[in-house]
Amino acid sequence: RAMVRGSIAGSGGRLRMDLRLIDLGDGTVIDAEHATGDDVYELVDELSRRLSPHLLAGGVEPTELTPVAQLATGSLDAFRKYREGVLAERRFLYERAEAHYRRAVGMDSTFAVAWLRLGLNLFRQQNVAEATSAMGQAERFIEGTSERDRLMIEAILSFISFESETAERSFEELIAKYPDDKEARSWLAVLYSQTDRRDDHRRALEEILRLDPFYAPAYNELAYMAARAADSTAADSLSLRYLDLEPGQPNPWDSRGEILEMLGRPDEGREAFREAVAIEESFVHGYQHLVRSYLRAGDMAGARAELVTHLGTDDPDAAVWVRLLSADTYVAEGSYLDGLDGYRQAAARASELDRDDLRLLALLDAGKLASAVGDFDGAQAFFQAARMIDSYNQEAFFGSLVALGQQGQVDRMRAIRQAVVGNLDQVPENFRAFANQGLRFTDGLIAYYEGNLERSVKLMEQARANFSLQYVFREEIEALIELGRADEALATIGRMAGVTPIRTGDRELPLNEQAKIYERGRAYEAMGDAGRAIQQYDRLYRMAGEGLRQIAFMWDTRERLERLKASVGDPSLPSAADSAAGAGPP
């Protein structure tokens, strides 16, 4: 409804700030003020006190306003870098955001909210060790912040520790004290989305837009919600509004591509993904979505053709990601050893570029696939290298445990568990809940590989009880099926987030998708629904063919399919090229 325009000038250490408060309805000047002094923050505070009655209409006294000098940092340059980081983050340019936050804390090492944002970005990259350190710095300097920043830091720390109820109360307290806070509402919207509270999710986004009709991320989220509800008119117009508010940015095009796919317009969606990476070569979501569109269409060669033109790029993110995604296409068609070689190449390229964050991703992918094809020594080497980069990485930790379990080395699993318990006092406080959840999952895995399936399922259910982010292991699905609880397994399979548990981002992970199809087949088979089991096994066999014999937990797909088809009097089988692999499990 109103806008402040102004200027600042100075000479010899003296500053003059001139401000005008403008009514956006008709362009008239509501008030104009100026102040002089030698501290820019004091000038801002003085003029805020004078102009605020025009905006607050008596609802808040000027003396209740937080002085700008207490908002975050005493360094104007640090604050500028922080704000540039926030903007980059809202545009999903995470690498750029991280660089800005690092500059901000380099300029002011006590800048708590910048440490917080840096930690969140590092968590997003699965760099848990460095993220935990940054979060520790945010906690360390929290007392020097304003009440608003303190409440935000406390709420977000609860959120990332998976203490969803505590986080929700903290965000609500913040909003009650500061009703104009959009960021707290944005976090609440994320929390509501993760806990499937759709009405609350929508309400939070609409409240943000009432506060700020130009807040682009809210339009983006609402567009996705409309597309999921099959409201094509709203989804189309909202995604176009997002494009209009963020011209020349990659994410609006990327989001529009996803929404067009959801609306049944895949060719237009691909064009939008291409536009996203043309605008920003390092925008990895665009590559992920483009390749995903081909994988879902079963066109692996088409996906590789899209990627090959980017293999020679100088951009580090693009250079590694096109190799990771190309490896995915081989996994998707059952060429698992070619896929494993592709992940190795991606890790090597990341090492050449001195990008441990990208190398970590490739090592985790290589470790999981190596374990799946029975190369347990190779898997442990990949996971060990990943933990050298990030000692707190749970994906590497669980990957190592699963590889040991598959070899029947339960004693070594127990020894690792005891070593973790012995080191718990060294784990930072803000990571303690996460570590304890991991221990419960560890106990569940040990129980599974000991053959105690009831205990395994119970422990894994307990591990998820108080956390909004819920991992589901393949071992738990298998245990439920063996225990005669196939209906529960079927309801849970969609939440499998990886062959080992953790994976974020917009990438279609072919091995994980294949595992879900296989486990659905197992569940239907156990429930006596031969028709649906045949559909799942048939689909999987058409995807990966005889290559499935290389995967320890899916090697018997063809045999299960043959047996079920024979039981219903259908002798036909999908054709596949004969493989040199043997008839038994690897």
Side-chain angles (χ1 to χ4, degrees), residues 441 457 460-461 464 470-481 485-498 501 512 515-517 519-520 523-524 527:
F441 277 124
V457 170
M460 291 192 186
E461 287 174 347
R464 285 193 298 273
Q470 301 196 352
Y471 306 152
V472 174
F473 285 80
R474 185 184 59 80
E475 284 79 0
E476 182 178 2
I477 302 296
E478 294 273 357
L480 286 169
I481 292 170
R485 297 161 60 182
D487 54 340
E488 294 177 53
L490 195 60
T492 309
I493 287 167
R495 289 191 284 134
M496 283 172 56
N512 188 42
K516 288 179 181 178
I517 297 168
E519 297 300 346
R520 286 193 185 99
Y524 283 127
M527 294 164 67

Side-chain angles (χ1 to χ4, degrees), residues 534 538 558 561-575:
I534 287 169
D538 185 83
R558 182 182 175 93
L561 183 56
E562 287 177 334
R563 184 171 63 251
L564 285 168
K565 287 207 167 195
S567 73
V568 297
D570 180 1
S572 64
L573 277 172
S575 61

